[in-house]
Amino acid sequence: MTLLVTGSAGFIGSCVMRQLVAETDETIVSIDALTYAGNPLSFGEAAHSPRHHFEHADIRDEARMRGIFEKYQPRAILHLAAESHVDRSIHGPAEFVSTNVIGTLTLLQVALDYWRGLPEPQKSAFRFQHISTDEVFGSLSPTDPAFEETTPYAPNSPYSASKAGSDHLVRAWHHTYGLPTLMTNCSNNYGPYHFPEKLIPLMILNALEGKPLPVYGDGLNVRDWLYVEDHARALRLVLERGTPGETYNVGGAAERKNIDVVHTLCAVLDELHPQGAPHNRLITYVKDRPGHDRRYAINFNKLESELGWRPQESFETGLRKTVQWYLDNPDWVASVRSGDYRKWVEKNYEGRN
Ligand code: NAD
Ligand code: TDX
């Protein structure tokens, strides 16, 4: 059996990939355009598995996507490829609409044609799983109840608007054409292999270098945090047991103010990297992000009651593991910063498939 995973060289996609290769017998075809955010060094051990086939391809390339479906005859696709950083979306929204909306449309069309041509029982078993975010629901006040699957969409950033657009397409392809889709909306992930433009890895690496820790606005914005390995497990469970046409919220039960996250990180760093202590002397308040959503919170009762999923990692232990991983993996950090992994890709992957 074969699974397609898009965005496989990114933060969450590579975690899904590593789990699938380590914990299942499946053949994994991983698709990634290797933008600045994609790094095949993040495949880890999975890079060398004979059950892993890497396709260096853009999801907007329809002919290439059709070729990949025909060649590998997948039982399902997990679609994670996206432009994912809110700050970048504010400065350059077009790429977000292009990849997140048009890229998803392209995959839906290719998957629909493929699915229509499948014989039974493969046709009934096929799944198109779309990975999305809690940001599509907009911003909460401190007293609002957490987002549910039925919360109306109210995206506020170009990133969340583009993800909302892709979510609506997925919903429509199920409703109109019957494509067996699954969708998940997850809160903020953190963990190893996270690109250092996002809050947690940026703060860790800046702190290790004695650079300022830039906290946007008053630092009181709230996010819910989930360890990436827990998210990957949720995605695999939804793929195997989720009901086509349904969406599932995924959350960490760990709402934190940004300033508290940064203070906790500084305390962990003081312990694991005492040379730089006290790290909280580096905290610097900077200009706020335009349109900065105040609070996200996720109600994941549906996933828990229907499929029995709960996060395993607490925020405090997950954060500790994450800091330790960045301390132990300076090579990965250096490769991401220099873009050197691209040479490695050319040597190892180009022309191999
Ligand atoms: P990421 O930016 O780390 O990785 C995205 C990957 O997609 C990269 O490897 C990149 O090279 C690839 N990619 C981008 N454009 C592409 C294209 N046109 N064709 C093929 N590949 C392309 O993102 P992530 O944090 O791993 O997020 C993965 C998915 O999960 C995204 O859809 C994101 O919206 C969603 N999500 C992320 C979070 C989070 O906290 N990181 C939370 C909820 C949902
Ligand atoms: O330097 C910073 N200082 C700061 O205060 C950065 C990079 C961020 N922040 C704040 C902004 C947010 O309130 O920290 C919070 C987290 O910021 P990001 O790490 O950029 O994440 P966020 O904007 O919440 O979006 C993330 O979670 C949902 C992912 O990037 C999305 O892909 C995902 O959908």
Side-chain angles (χ1 to χ4, degrees):
M1 300 296 263
T2 299
L3 283 176
L4 298 188
V5 179
T6 74
S8 59
F11 167 48
I12 302 171
S14 70
C15 181
V16 171
M17 264 278 313
R18 293 190 306 273
Q19 274 190 15
L20 286 169
V21 168
E23 297 174 19
T24 74
D25 294 330
E26 269 190 300
T27 298
I28 317 299
V29 176
S30 86
I31 301 172
D32 203 292
L34 299 179
T35 68
Y36 79 95
N39 180 353
L41 294 183
S42 303
F43 295 154
E45 291 297 305
H48 311 293
S49 167
R51 287 188 289 108
H52 172 215
H53 304 274
F54 176 58
E55 293 279 353
H56 183 188
D58 193 307
I59 57 164
R60 293 165 291 187
D61 182 343
E62 187 176 329
R64 191 76 196 279
M65 292 304 117
R66 285 193 192 283
I68 289 172
F69 271 83
E70 271 163 35
K71 179 174 173 187
Y72 295 104
Q73 300 285 305
R75 73 169 177 101
I77 175 166
L78 281 89
H79 173 38
L80 293 103
E83 288 292 337
S84 69
H85 189 39
V86 173
D87 292 327
R88 281 181 191 256
S89 81
I90 294 167
H91 297 291
E95 194 63 11
F96 283 71
V97 174
S98 179
T99 279
N100 299 358
V101 181
I102 305 298
T104 301
L105 169 69
T106 308
L107 282 177
L108 283 166
Q109 287 293 62
V110 170
L112 180 63
D113 289 343
Y114 167 78
W115 172 73
R116 281 177 164 158
L118 283 175
E120 290 294 355
Q122 289 91 329
K123 187 172 182 182
S124 299
F126 182 78
R127 298 286 182 269
F128 184 108
Q129 184 165 352
H130 178 62
I131 286 64
S132 193
T133 171
D134 59 0
E135 301 198 15
V136 297
F137 299 119
S139 186
L140 295 170
S141 79
T143 51
D144 282 337
F147 301 130
E148 297 177 15
E149 286 80 1
T150 50
T151 301
Y153 274 32
N156 289 319
S157 73
Y159 163 70
S160 54
S162 69
K163 289 297 290 186
S166 64
D167 292 9
H168 290 320
L169 292 176
V170 172
R171 178 189 159 89
W173 261 240
H174 175 75
H175 191 78
T176 303
Y177 306 113
L179 186 68
T181 60
L182 295 162
M183 187 152 67
T184 51
N185 293 83
C186 186
S187 55
N188 285 54
N189 285 214
Y190 70 100
Y193 301 99
H194 204 182
F195 193 84
E197 64 188 354
K198 310 282 165 62
L199 179 74
I200 288 180
L202 179 90
M203 294 292 167
I204 296 172
L205 296 180
N206 278 16
L208 292 178
E209 293 179 359
K211 290 183 180 165
L213 307 181
V215 174
Y216 296 167
D218 61 8
L220 300 180
N221 301 66
V222 173
R223 297 291 181 267
D224 172 60
W225 294 95
L226 178 66
Y227 194 60
V228 65
E229 295 277 355
D230 276 329
H231 187 195
R233 281 184 214 295
L235 295 180
R236 290 169 54 200
L237 187 64
V238 169
L239 174 67
E240 302 314 334
R241 305 217 348 246
T243 304
E246 292 291 313
T247 76
Y248 299 86
N249 279 355
V250 188
E255 275 188 65
R256 298 285 185 282
K257 295 184 184 79
N258 290 339
I259 190 64
D260 293 342
V261 170
V262 177
H263 275 295
T264 309
L265 261 179
C266 287
V268 175
L269 279 156
D270 287 351
E271 217 183 299
L272 300 180
H273 180 73
Q275 301 90 304
H279 290 89
N280 61 9
R281 76 194 143 82
L282 300 169
I283 292 175
T284 310
Y285 286 91
V286 299
K287 197 164 164 272
D288 209 355
R289 171 186 280 173
H292 197 175
D293 282 340
R294 196 62 171 167
R295 172 177 169 241
Y296 304 139
I298 274 273
N299 177 331
F300 58 88
N301 287 348
K302 179 176 173 182
L303 185 57
E304 184 169 23
S305 61
E306 289 186 15
L307 304 185
W309 177 92
R310 270 199 75 77
Q312 300 300 306
E313 195 73 54
S314 78
F315 185 59
E316 282 64 31
T317 57
L319 212 51
R320 215 183 159 75
K321 281 189 187 175
T322 305
V323 172
Q324 191 63 55
W325 186 87
Y326 279 90
L327 286 168
D328 292 344
N329 289 277
D331 291 352
W332 183 89
V333 173
S335 78
V336 167
R337 284 189 164 154
S338 67
D340 257 4
Y341 63 83
R342 289 174 202 286
K343 290 183 204 137
W344 190 88
V345 176
E346 280 159 26
K347 200 168 123 235
N348 287 277
Y349 284 114
E350 296 305 331
R352 203 178 79 167
N353 289 306

